[in-house]
Amino acid sequence: MFRQRVICTVGRSLLTNFEKEDPNLKTAFSKESIVKRLISEDPSQKICGAEINSTYSIVKQGFVHDKYDIFLLVSDTEDGRKTGEVLKDYFKNEKSPLKFTNVYIKEIKGLTGEERFEFRNKGLKEIANTLVDLSSQSPETTIINATGGYKAQISFATLIGQILKIPVYYMFEQFNEIIELPPMPVSFDYSFWMKNYDLLESLERLEATEEMVKSADPQLKVLFDFEKGGNEKIYGLSPMGVIFHKSFKELFKTDTNNLPSKRTSDPKYISSSNEPNSSRFDEKYEISKKLLEIPYIKELRCSYYNPNSDYKTKVNVKNDDFEIYFTKNGETIGFVAKTTAKTENQKIALKIHIEEAMKRW
Protein backbone atom coordinates (compact mmCIF):
# COMPACT_ATOMS: atom_id res chain seq x y z
CA MET A 1 0.00 0.00 0.00
CA PHE A 2 1.20 3.53 -0.79
CA ARG A 3 2.55 5.68 2.03
CA GLN A 4 0.54 8.90 2.32
CA ARG A 5 0.68 9.91 6.01
CA VAL A 6 3.70 11.72 7.46
CA ILE A 7 4.23 12.11 11.21
CA CYS A 8 6.75 14.91 11.62
CA THR A 9 8.44 15.89 14.88
CA VAL A 10 9.03 19.63 15.08
CA GLY A 11 11.81 21.74 16.62
CA ARG A 12 12.61 25.44 16.30
CA SER A 13 15.33 25.45 13.62
CA LEU A 14 13.03 27.37 11.28
CA LEU A 15 12.59 30.21 13.77
CA THR A 16 16.30 30.17 14.61
CA ASN A 17 17.21 30.60 10.94
CA PHE A 18 14.88 33.58 10.48
CA GLU A 19 15.96 35.21 13.75
CA LYS A 20 19.57 35.09 12.60
CA GLU A 21 18.57 37.13 9.56
CA ASP A 22 16.28 39.47 11.50
CA PRO A 23 16.75 39.56 15.32
CA ASN A 24 13.60 41.73 15.58
CA LEU A 25 11.48 38.64 14.88
CA LYS A 26 11.96 37.59 18.50
CA THR A 27 9.74 40.49 19.57
CA ALA A 28 7.85 41.20 16.34
CA PHE A 29 6.86 37.78 15.05
CA SER A 30 5.03 37.78 11.71
CA LYS A 31 3.70 34.42 10.59
CA GLU A 32 2.46 35.78 7.26
CA SER A 33 5.81 37.24 6.21
CA ILE A 34 7.68 34.05 7.15
CA VAL A 35 5.24 31.85 5.19
CA LYS A 36 5.47 34.18 2.19
CA ARG A 37 9.26 33.97 2.27
CA LEU A 38 9.23 30.17 2.66
CA ILE A 39 7.00 29.74 -0.40
CA SER A 40 9.44 31.78 -2.47
CA GLU A 41 12.40 29.62 -1.41
CA ASP A 42 13.61 26.28 -2.72
CA PRO A 43 12.50 23.87 0.06
CA SER A 44 15.98 22.33 0.13
CA GLN A 45 17.52 25.61 1.33
CA LYS A 46 18.64 25.71 4.96
CA ILE A 47 16.58 28.84 5.71
CA CYS A 48 13.44 26.67 5.44
CA GLY A 49 14.39 24.65 8.52
CA ALA A 50 14.82 20.97 9.31
CA GLU A 51 11.14 20.04 8.96
CA ILE A 52 10.67 21.44 5.45
CA ASN A 53 14.14 20.31 4.27
CA SER A 54 13.55 16.74 5.42
CA THR A 55 9.94 16.53 4.21
CA TYR A 56 11.05 17.81 0.80
CA SER A 57 13.69 15.08 0.63
CA ILE A 58 11.10 12.45 1.59
CA VAL A 59 8.78 13.59 -1.22
CA LYS A 60 11.61 14.02 -3.73
CA GLN A 61 12.90 10.50 -3.16
CA GLY A 62 9.42 9.02 -3.51
CA PHE A 63 9.06 7.73 0.05
CA VAL A 64 5.61 9.35 0.11
CA HIS A 65 3.42 8.61 -2.90
CA ASP A 66 0.57 10.97 -2.10
CA LYS A 67 0.85 14.13 0.04
CA TYR A 68 -2.37 13.49 1.94
CA ASP A 69 -1.87 13.88 5.72
CA ILE A 70 0.92 15.46 7.71
CA PHE A 71 0.89 15.56 11.52
CA LEU A 72 3.12 18.19 13.13
CA LEU A 73 4.18 17.26 16.67
CA VAL A 74 5.13 20.51 18.40
CA SER A 75 6.48 21.25 21.87
CA ASP A 76 4.52 22.79 24.73
CA THR A 77 6.25 26.16 24.28
CA GLU A 78 5.49 29.48 22.63
CA ASP A 79 8.18 28.78 20.02
CA GLY A 80 6.71 25.34 19.38
CA ARG A 81 3.26 26.77 18.78
CA LYS A 82 4.63 29.52 16.50
CA THR A 83 6.63 27.04 14.45
CA GLY A 84 3.63 24.74 14.16
CA GLU A 85 1.39 27.51 12.86
CA VAL A 86 3.99 28.62 10.30
CA LEU A 87 4.46 25.06 9.04
CA LYS A 88 0.73 24.42 8.94
CA ASP A 89 0.13 27.49 6.77
CA TYR A 90 3.08 26.56 4.56
CA PHE A 91 1.97 22.95 4.00
CA LYS A 92 -1.64 24.05 3.31
CA ASN A 93 -0.81 26.93 0.98
CA GLU A 94 -1.88 26.38 -2.64
CA LYS A 95 1.42 27.87 -3.85
CA SER A 96 3.57 25.65 -1.66
CA PRO A 97 5.69 23.03 -3.47
CA LEU A 98 4.91 20.74 -0.52
CA LYS A 99 1.13 21.19 -0.25
CA PHE A 100 -0.64 18.48 1.77
CA THR A 101 -4.37 17.80 1.70
CA ASN A 102 -4.67 17.77 5.48
CA VAL A 103 -2.35 19.35 8.05
CA TYR A 104 -2.73 18.68 11.78
CA ILE A 105 -0.91 20.18 14.75
CA LYS A 106 -0.47 18.00 17.82
CA GLU A 107 0.87 19.91 20.82
CA ILE A 108 2.73 17.64 23.23
CA LYS A 109 1.88 18.73 26.77
CA GLY A 110 4.86 18.83 29.11
CA LEU A 111 7.38 18.77 26.25
CA THR A 112 9.31 21.82 27.34
CA GLY A 113 12.97 22.40 28.09
CA GLU A 114 12.16 24.70 31.00
CA GLU A 115 11.07 22.13 33.60
CA ARG A 116 13.31 19.05 33.74
CA PHE A 117 10.91 17.03 35.91
CA GLU A 118 7.87 17.78 33.73
CA PHE A 119 9.86 17.09 30.57
CA ARG A 120 11.03 13.70 31.86
CA ASN A 121 7.85 12.52 33.58
CA LYS A 122 5.17 14.04 31.38
CA GLY A 123 6.55 15.38 28.12
CA LEU A 124 8.51 12.32 27.03
CA LYS A 125 5.64 9.97 27.92
CA GLU A 126 3.19 12.22 26.07
CA ILE A 127 5.31 12.22 22.90
CA ALA A 128 5.58 8.43 23.21
CA ASN A 129 1.79 8.05 23.53
CA THR A 130 1.12 10.44 20.64
CA LEU A 131 3.59 8.70 18.32
CA VAL A 132 2.02 5.30 19.04
CA ASP A 133 -1.57 6.57 18.72
CA LEU A 134 -0.95 8.22 15.36
CA SER A 135 1.23 5.42 13.97
CA SER A 136 -1.17 2.63 14.90
CA GLN A 137 -4.15 4.27 13.14
CA SER A 138 -2.82 3.21 9.73
CA PRO A 139 0.71 1.79 9.99
CA GLU A 140 0.74 0.50 6.42
CA THR A 141 0.30 4.04 5.00
CA THR A 142 2.45 5.95 7.53
CA ILE A 143 6.04 7.11 7.72
CA ILE A 144 7.75 8.99 10.55
CA ASN A 145 10.05 11.94 9.95
CA ALA A 146 12.02 12.26 13.22
CA THR A 147 14.38 15.03 12.07
CA GLY A 148 13.00 17.99 14.05
CA GLY A 149 12.77 18.49 17.79
CA TYR A 150 14.34 16.71 20.74
CA LYS A 151 16.79 13.91 20.00
CA ALA A 152 15.02 11.54 22.42
CA GLN A 153 12.24 11.36 19.84
CA ILE A 154 14.56 9.58 17.41
CA SER A 155 14.90 6.46 19.57
CA PHE A 156 11.16 6.52 20.32
CA ALA A 157 10.27 6.74 16.64
CA THR A 158 12.76 3.99 15.73
CA LEU A 159 11.28 1.55 18.25
CA ILE A 160 7.72 2.26 17.09
CA GLY A 161 8.80 1.75 13.49
CA GLN A 162 10.47 -1.53 14.40
CA ILE A 163 7.37 -2.92 16.13
CA LEU A 164 4.68 -1.60 13.76
CA LYS A 165 6.78 -2.02 10.59
CA ILE A 166 6.79 1.71 9.81
CA PRO A 167 9.77 3.35 8.05
CA VAL A 168 11.46 6.09 10.08
CA TYR A 169 13.54 8.81 8.40
CA TYR A 170 16.09 11.31 9.65
CA MET A 171 18.15 14.03 7.97
CA PHE A 172 21.55 14.72 9.46
CA GLU A 173 22.51 18.38 9.45
CA GLN A 174 25.62 17.84 7.32
CA PHE A 175 23.71 15.96 4.59
CA ASN A 176 21.13 17.20 2.08
CA GLU A 177 19.21 13.94 1.75
CA ILE A 178 17.16 12.01 4.25
CA ILE A 179 17.98 8.42 5.23
CA GLU A 180 15.91 5.57 6.65
CA LEU A 181 17.02 4.67 10.16
CA PRO A 182 17.94 1.02 10.79
CA PRO A 183 16.15 -1.02 13.50
CA MET A 184 17.37 -0.70 17.09
CA PRO A 185 19.83 -3.42 18.19
CA VAL A 186 17.42 -4.94 20.74
CA SER A 187 15.90 -8.39 20.97
CA PHE A 188 12.40 -7.32 22.04
CA ASP A 189 9.80 -9.33 20.16
CA TYR A 190 6.17 -10.39 20.30
CA SER A 191 6.72 -13.45 22.49
CA PHE A 192 8.83 -11.40 24.91
CA TRP A 193 5.99 -8.88 25.22
CA MET A 194 3.36 -11.58 25.78
CA LYS A 195 5.49 -13.26 28.44
CA ASN A 196 5.84 -9.98 30.36
CA TYR A 197 2.34 -8.62 29.71
CA ASP A 198 1.18 -8.83 33.36
CA LEU A 199 4.15 -6.82 34.66
CA LEU A 200 3.84 -4.21 31.90
CA GLU A 201 0.12 -3.82 32.67
CA SER A 202 0.90 -3.36 36.38
CA LEU A 203 3.52 -0.74 35.51
CA GLU A 204 1.07 1.06 33.22
CA ARG A 205 -1.49 1.21 36.05
CA LEU A 206 1.23 2.27 38.57
CA GLU A 207 0.47 -0.86 40.59
CA ALA A 208 3.78 -2.73 40.24
CA THR A 209 5.51 -3.63 43.51
CA GLU A 210 9.22 -3.38 44.19
CA GLU A 211 9.37 -7.17 44.38
CA MET A 212 7.83 -7.49 40.90
CA VAL A 213 10.32 -5.01 39.48
CA LYS A 214 13.36 -6.59 41.12
CA SER A 215 12.47 -10.05 39.80
CA ALA A 216 11.85 -8.79 36.26
CA ASP A 217 13.85 -9.89 33.24
CA PRO A 218 16.97 -7.64 33.03
CA GLN A 219 16.00 -6.68 29.47
CA LEU A 220 12.93 -4.95 30.90
CA LYS A 221 14.88 -2.52 33.04
CA VAL A 222 14.92 0.12 30.30
CA LEU A 223 11.12 -0.07 30.11
CA PHE A 224 10.25 1.06 33.63
CA ASP A 225 10.90 4.07 35.79
CA PHE A 226 9.95 5.24 39.26
CA GLU A 227 9.19 8.39 41.16
CA LYS A 228 8.79 9.18 44.83
CA GLY A 229 5.32 8.96 46.30
CA GLY A 230 5.74 10.03 49.92
CA ASN A 231 8.04 7.45 51.47
CA GLU A 232 7.41 4.89 48.73
CA LYS A 233 8.62 4.40 45.19
CA ILE A 234 5.89 4.39 42.56
CA TYR A 235 6.88 2.24 39.61
CA GLY A 236 5.58 2.94 36.12
CA LEU A 237 6.52 2.66 32.46
CA SER A 238 9.37 4.78 31.12
CA PRO A 239 8.71 6.64 27.85
CA MET A 240 10.39 3.73 26.04
CA GLY A 241 8.19 1.34 28.02
CA VAL A 242 5.06 3.25 26.97
CA ILE A 243 6.05 2.80 23.34
CA PHE A 244 6.97 -0.86 23.71
CA HIS A 245 3.83 -1.90 25.60
CA LYS A 246 1.35 0.28 23.74
CA SER A 247 2.73 -0.57 20.29
CA PHE A 248 2.49 -4.30 20.91
CA LYS A 249 -1.04 -3.91 22.31
CA GLU A 250 -2.05 -2.13 19.10
CA LEU A 251 -0.37 -4.84 17.03
CA PHE A 252 -2.11 -7.52 19.08
CA LYS A 253 -5.57 -6.17 18.11
CA THR A 254 -5.13 -7.31 14.53
CA ASP A 255 -2.77 -10.27 14.93
CA THR A 256 -4.55 -13.60 15.54
CA ASN A 257 -1.63 -15.89 14.75
CA ASN A 258 -0.95 -16.70 18.39
CA LEU A 259 -4.57 -17.32 19.35
CA PRO A 260 -5.98 -20.87 19.42
CA SER A 261 -8.47 -22.28 16.92
CA LYS A 262 -12.10 -21.26 17.24
CA ARG A 263 -14.63 -23.57 18.88
CA THR A 264 -16.59 -25.85 16.58
CA SER A 265 -19.85 -26.04 18.56
CA ASP A 266 -22.09 -23.74 20.61
CA PRO A 267 -20.67 -22.76 24.01
CA LYS A 268 -22.17 -24.00 27.27
CA TYR A 269 -23.07 -21.67 30.16
CA ILE A 270 -23.62 -22.68 33.80
CA SER A 271 -25.02 -19.93 36.03
CA SER A 272 -24.43 -19.65 39.77
CA SER A 273 -27.15 -21.05 42.03
CA ASN A 274 -25.30 -20.01 45.21
CA GLU A 275 -25.39 -16.28 44.65
CA PRO A 276 -28.62 -14.95 43.05
CA ASN A 277 -27.29 -11.36 42.94
CA SER A 278 -24.64 -12.45 40.50
CA SER A 279 -27.38 -12.87 37.87
CA ARG A 280 -28.58 -9.29 38.41
CA PHE A 281 -25.05 -7.93 37.98
CA ASP A 282 -24.36 -10.21 35.02
CA GLU A 283 -27.55 -9.23 33.22
CA LYS A 284 -26.96 -5.52 33.84
CA TYR A 285 -23.57 -5.53 32.10
CA GLU A 286 -24.09 -8.64 29.91
CA ILE A 287 -20.74 -10.07 31.01
CA SER A 288 -21.43 -13.76 30.37
CA LYS A 289 -23.08 -12.88 27.03
CA LYS A 290 -19.99 -10.94 25.92
CA LEU A 291 -17.62 -13.64 27.14
CA LEU A 292 -19.52 -16.33 25.24
CA GLU A 293 -19.21 -14.22 22.09
CA ILE A 294 -15.45 -14.79 22.30
CA PRO A 295 -15.08 -17.73 19.86
CA TYR A 296 -12.35 -19.49 21.88
CA ILE A 297 -14.48 -20.09 25.01
CA LYS A 298 -16.20 -23.51 25.00
CA GLU A 299 -17.74 -23.50 28.47
CA LEU A 300 -18.39 -20.79 31.06
CA ARG A 301 -19.39 -21.26 34.68
CA CYS A 302 -20.20 -18.44 37.11
CA SER A 303 -18.08 -19.12 40.19
CA TYR A 304 -17.84 -15.92 42.21
CA TYR A 305 -19.69 -12.76 43.16
CA ASN A 306 -18.79 -10.00 45.62
CA PRO A 307 -20.83 -6.77 45.94
CA ASN A 308 -17.97 -5.00 47.76
CA SER A 309 -14.76 -6.03 46.07
CA ASP A 310 -11.33 -4.56 45.44
CA TYR A 311 -10.57 -7.17 42.76
CA LYS A 312 -9.11 -5.97 39.48
CA THR A 313 -10.61 -6.95 36.15
CA LYS A 314 -8.22 -9.66 35.02
CA VAL A 315 -7.70 -13.25 33.88
CA ASN A 316 -5.72 -15.95 35.68
CA VAL A 317 -4.75 -19.17 33.94
CA LYS A 318 -4.69 -22.26 36.17
CA ASN A 319 -3.64 -25.33 34.22
CA ASP A 320 -6.37 -25.57 31.54
CA ASP A 321 -8.89 -23.33 33.32
CA PHE A 322 -9.28 -19.60 32.80
CA GLU A 323 -10.38 -17.69 35.90
CA ILE A 324 -12.03 -14.51 34.66
CA TYR A 325 -12.89 -11.61 36.98
CA PHE A 326 -14.82 -8.52 35.93
CA THR A 327 -15.19 -5.56 38.30
CA LYS A 328 -17.45 -2.53 37.89
CA ASN A 329 -18.25 0.10 40.55
CA GLY A 330 -16.91 -2.10 43.35
CA GLU A 331 -18.85 -5.24 42.33
CA THR A 332 -17.02 -8.28 41.01
CA ILE A 333 -18.27 -11.33 39.17
CA GLY A 334 -16.05 -14.31 38.47
CA PHE A 335 -16.16 -17.16 35.96
CA VAL A 336 -14.23 -20.30 35.18
CA ALA A 337 -13.88 -20.94 31.46
CA LYS A 338 -12.89 -23.93 29.36
CA THR A 339 -11.23 -22.81 26.14
CA THR A 340 -9.72 -24.14 22.93
CA ALA A 341 -6.22 -23.05 24.02
CA LYS A 342 -3.76 -25.95 24.21
CA THR A 343 -0.21 -24.63 24.19
CA GLU A 344 1.25 -22.21 26.72
CA ASN A 345 1.65 -19.60 24.00
CA GLN A 346 -2.02 -19.90 23.06
CA LYS A 347 -3.05 -19.60 26.72
CA ILE A 348 -1.02 -16.41 27.18
CA ALA A 349 -2.37 -14.94 23.94
CA LEU A 350 -5.98 -15.76 24.87
CA LYS A 351 -5.56 -14.35 28.39
CA ILE A 352 -4.37 -11.05 26.88
CA HIS A 353 -7.17 -11.15 24.29
CA ILE A 354 -9.85 -11.51 27.00
CA GLU A 355 -8.32 -8.86 29.29
CA GLU A 356 -8.05 -6.32 26.48
CA ALA A 357 -11.67 -7.05 25.47
CA MET A 358 -12.96 -6.53 29.03
CA LYS A 359 -11.30 -3.11 29.20
CA ARG A 360 -13.84 -1.94 26.60
CA TRP A 361 -16.89 -3.22 28.51
Side-chain angles (χ1 to χ4, degrees):
M1 187 175 288
F2 290 150
R3 304 279 175 178
Q4 56 186 20
R5 301 172 76 246
V6 179
I7 300 171
C8 182
T9 58
V10 175
R12 77 171 316 277
S13 66
L14 188 154
L15 288 186
T16 300
N17 293 342
F18 274 85
E19 287 169 359
K20 285 179 181 178
E21 285 194 352
D22 183 4
N24 292 326
L25 277 177
K26 291 182 179 181
T27 54
F29 174 75
S30 173
K31 179 180 68 173
E32 291 74 17
S33 63
I34 294 177
V35 173
K36 184 178 180 180
R37 168 75 183 280
L38 288 172
I39 290 172
S40 70
E41 293 283 350
D42 184 318
S44 67
Q45 295 301 305
K46 187 176 180 179
I47 186 67
C48 295
E51 296 76 21
I52 292 176
N53 292 163
S54 55
T55 302
Y56 174 66
S57 183
I58 285 172
V59 173
K60 182 181 177 183
Q61 294 187 58
F63 297 137
V64 172
H65 301 87
D66 180 14
K67 299 190 294 293
Y68 192 69
D69 291 334
I70 186 166
F71 299 86
L72 305 170
L73 277 50
V74 305
S75 62
D76 184 9
T77 62
E78 189 62 30
D79 283 348
R81 287 181 279 273
K82 286 179 179 178
T83 305
E85 289 299 329
V86 168
L87 289 172
K88 181 178 181 178
D89 282 12
Y90 173 80
F91 286 124
K92 283 184 70 70
N93 196 293
E94 292 293 336
K95 297 179 180 179
S96 172
L98 291 174
K99 184 185 181 303
F100 279 77
T101 303
N102 301 303
V103 184
Y104 306 94
I105 295 177
K106 299 288 184 180
E107 185 176 324
I108 311 302
K109 298 300 181 184
L111 197 66
T112 168
E114 298 172 1
E115 285 286 342
R116 183 181 68 85
F117 182 82
E118 186 174 17
F119 178 86
R120 177 175 176 270
N121 291 281
K122 183 179 179 182
L124 291 182
K125 289 182 181 179
E126 189 65 23
I127 187 71
N129 273 306
T130 303
L131 280 167
V132 175
D133 289 343
L134 291 175
S135 300
S136 61
Q137 288 172 11
S138 181
E140 68 280 0
T141 65
T142 299
I143 70 169
I144 300 175
N145 177 6
T147 305
Y150 296 100
K151 300 309 175 191
Q153 295 170 168
I154 301 172
S155 57
F156 295 174
T158 305
L159 182 57
I160 292 170
Q162 189 168 336
I163 295 172
L164 297 179
K165 305 295 187 290
I166 294 172
V168 180
Y169 297 95
Y170 184 82
M171 179 181 278
F172 290 93
E173 194 171 354
Q174 62 269 37
F175 302 138
N176 58 8
E177 287 194 345
I178 205 158
I179 63 167
E180 183 174 355
L181 294 175
M184 294 179 71
V186 293
S187 58
F188 296 141
D189 58 22
Y190 208 27
S191 60
F192 182 80
W193 171 75
M194 288 200 305
K195 179 182 176 182
N196 292 283
Y197 172 85
D198 280 344
L199 174 58
L200 293 166
E201 278 290 285
S202 296
L203 288 165
E204 185 178 55
R205 295 193 301 261
L206 304 179
E207 295 171 355
T209 64
E210 188 167 0
E211 183 180 350
M212 292 167 67
V213 169
K214 283 184 176 179
S215 61
D217 188 309
Q219 287 191 83
L220 281 171
K221 303 295 184 183
V222 70
L223 301 181
F224 55 73
D225 205 349
F226 73 89
E227 57 186 77
K228 289 287 186 179
N231 296 323
E232 297 182 354
K233 289 181 178 178
I234 299 175
Y235 292 94
L237 292 173
S238 67
M240 195 69 79
V242 170
I243 290 172
F244 178 76
H245 188 40
K246 197 165 184 177
S247 294
F248 272 116
K249 282 205 289 187
E250 290 296 330
L251 188 64
F252 187 82
K253 290 177 182 178
T254 56
D255 186 354
T256 60
N257 292 331
N258 290 283
L259 289 167
S261 59
K262 296 181 179 180
R263 62 179 179 248
T264 56
S265 59
D266 291 339
K268 180 181 179 182
Y269 179 61
I270 305 170
S271 62
S272 173
S273 58
N274 298 327
E275 181 52 73
N277 284 329
S278 66
S279 297
R280 174 195 54 78
F281 182 67
D282 184 19
E283 289 171 6
K284 181 177 180 180
Y285 295 106
E286 298 185 318
I287 308 307
S288 61
K289 179 178 181 291
K290 292 173 181 175
L291 285 171
L292 291 171
E293 287 172 354
I294 295 174
Y296 314 104
I297 292 178
K298 298 187 297 182
E299 180 181 301
L300 191 68
R301 175 172 57 84
C302 184
S303 60
Y304 178 86
Y305 173 75
N306 190 334
N308 298 293
S309 171
D310 58 358
Y311 263 50
K312 304 294 182 185
T313 295
K314 66 174 302 180
V315 178
N316 299 321
V317 181
K318 300 286 183 68
N319 297 320
D320 290 332
D321 289 340
F322 280 60
E323 296 178 351
I324 304 170
Y325 296 96
F326 178 85
T327 298
K328 192 92 168 179
N329 301 324
E331 289 185 79
T332 298
I333 190 168
F335 302 88
V336 175
K338 300 289 185 183
T339 75
T340 59
K342 296 178 180 179
T343 68
E344 286 305 308
N345 218 39
Q346 287 176 349
K347 291 175 184 177
I348 294 172
L350 182 53
K351 164 193 160 62
I352 296 171
H353 179 80
I354 297 171
E355 284 195 1
E356 290 297 315
M358 288 196 294
K359 288 178 183 179
R360 301 188 290 272
W361 298 350

